[in-house]
Amino acid sequence: MDTSVPHPARRYNYWLGGKDHFAADRESGDLLAKAFPTARIAARENRDFLRRSVRFLAESGVRQFLDIGTGLPVPDNTHEVAQHIAPESRVLYVDNDPIVMTHSRALTIGTPEGRTGYVEADLRDPEAILGHPELREVLDLREPVALLLVAVLHFLHDDDQAVSVVSELLAALPAGSYLVASNLTLDYAPPEQIAKHEELLASGRTDARARDVSEFGRFFAKLDVVDPGIVAVSDWRPERADRPIAADVAIYGAVGRKA
Ligand SMILES: C[S@@+](CC[C@H](N)C(=O)[O-])C[C@H]1O[C@@H](n2cnc3c(N)ncnc32)[C@H](O)[C@@H]1O
């Protein structure tokens, strides 16, 4: 593991106020937060969308979750939210960052009635994820599964590749399964911020590819999108009236159901 190179999981953990990051992650986080002063707000709102969507699904009867691009453990990890509502919930976590793997113990201590697991794998290789023995140990693919791709699709820059990865994963899940996804967007951003983002992306100082509403909508093309549709993550079934405006969040989120 090269800690001199910033990594999204650790930079995100830094923005969330966690403890698991190195100097390179903090420098990269500060640089991006200088260009996008609301980056920390966006990270917190994204995380809260993850919590609310998992709760919504658990309350809707979903008992299995495949959480790819898990991130470092923080309060309210997927299994904690789901098992709080339904202790028998089963959660498989997948991430490609070795440092997430070293923290995976905190992600795999769940209820005795439920089951949790962790697999180190890359979202770009859905076959390896679907064919992993741990996946079959934890999840029963004959029953509905919620596929969580929260703040991870923007690391797959090629639209066709990202859409094909999502389709391949969804194809392995039965009717009644769900997709939860979020992705950075510049749809609300002023031109100077769009130009700044393009400059950072071109120079490799950010690795997140923004998507507009139709690009993001492609992930949900074959699904029934649940209310309120594709919105800023902060506006997805919000619990607070005093939430930040969509322009400060700049992340789309949605939940869709496979018919
Ligand atoms: C911004 S964090 C999001 C964490 C969590 N899903 C959330 O929304 O709070 C992105 C995570 O995706 C992981 N990631 C990035 N690219 C990935 C890939 N190609 N395959 C698997 N995980 C990836 C990173 O290691 C990081 O943990």
Side-chain angles (χ1 to χ4, degrees):
M1 182 170 67
D2 184 355
T3 57
S4 68
V5 177
H7 195 285
R10 301 188 291 253
R11 185 176 56 220
Y12 182 69
N13 183 263
Y14 173 55
W15 283 340
L16 286 176
K19 303 180 279 29
D20 303 305
H21 38 77
F22 297 95
D25 308 307
R26 294 188 286 275
E27 266 162 42
S28 160
D30 289 343
L31 178 98
L32 292 180
K34 209 168 148 208
F36 303 100
T38 56
R40 288 186 178 82
I41 294 175
R44 283 199 297 272
E45 290 299 324
N46 177 73
R47 189 72 202 180
D48 207 46
F49 162 71
L50 174 63
R51 179 186 65 77
R52 294 196 309 280
S53 58
V54 170
R55 204 188 58 193
F56 163 80
L57 293 170
E59 285 171 353
S60 308
V62 177
R63 296 290 175 262
Q64 305 194 96
F65 298 81
L66 174 56
D67 182 348
I68 308 180
T70 305
L72 287 156
V74 283
D76 283 340
N77 299 300
T78 298
H79 71 285
E80 290 159 343
V81 178
Q83 291 181 345
H84 182 70
I85 292 159
E88 71 275 26
S89 300
R90 303 165 81 88
V91 179
L92 185 77
Y93 292 109
V94 179
D95 204 287
N96 71 344
D97 184 359
I99 201 163
V100 178
M101 175 78 176
T102 63
H103 287 75
S104 60
R105 203 172 142 64
L107 291 166
T108 49
I109 301 173
T111 55
E113 302 92 329
R115 184 83 201 250
T116 57
Y118 182 88
V119 168
E120 190 177 37
D122 199 296
L123 174 59
R124 283 166 289 212
D125 189 358
E127 242 175 80
I129 297 172
L130 293 167
H132 200 286
E134 181 76 3
L135 183 136
R136 306 286 162 160
E137 287 279 313
V138 176
L139 303 177
D140 175 356
L141 298 191
R142 292 165 304 181
E143 295 293 325
V145 175
L147 169 63
L148 311 182
L149 297 173
V150 183
V152 64
L153 285 166
H154 43 225
F155 300 117
L156 272 58
H157 292 192
D158 183 280
D159 279 341
D160 291 338
Q161 182 196 28
V163 168
S164 126
V165 159
V166 174
S167 304
E168 198 174 326
L169 290 166
L170 286 173
L173 309 180
S177 293
Y178 285 83
L179 169 67
V180 178
S182 71
N183 198 109
L184 178 71
T185 186
L186 291 171
D187 278 3
Y188 309 98
E192 60 276 11
Q193 228 173 43
I194 297 175
K196 184 78 199 166
H197 179 78
E198 275 164 10
E199 181 197 321
L200 289 170
L201 196 61
S203 63
R205 282 176 294 160
T206 184
D207 35 20
R209 149 105 160 79
R211 290 196 161 90
D212 66 24
V213 71
S214 62
E215 289 163 340
F216 183 63
R218 284 183 67 192
F219 300 127
F220 293 88
K222 295 188 188 135
L223 305 176
D224 299 327
V225 179
V226 308
D227 279 348
I230 297 175
V231 289
V233 284
S234 45
D235 291 333
W236 195 89
R237 297 180 181 243
E239 290 166 353
R240 294 174 11 236
D242 66 335
R243 55 192 188 277
I245 55 167
D248 284 348
V249 175
I251 300 177
Y252 277 134
V255 175
R257 184 177 185 276
K258 183 171 172 178

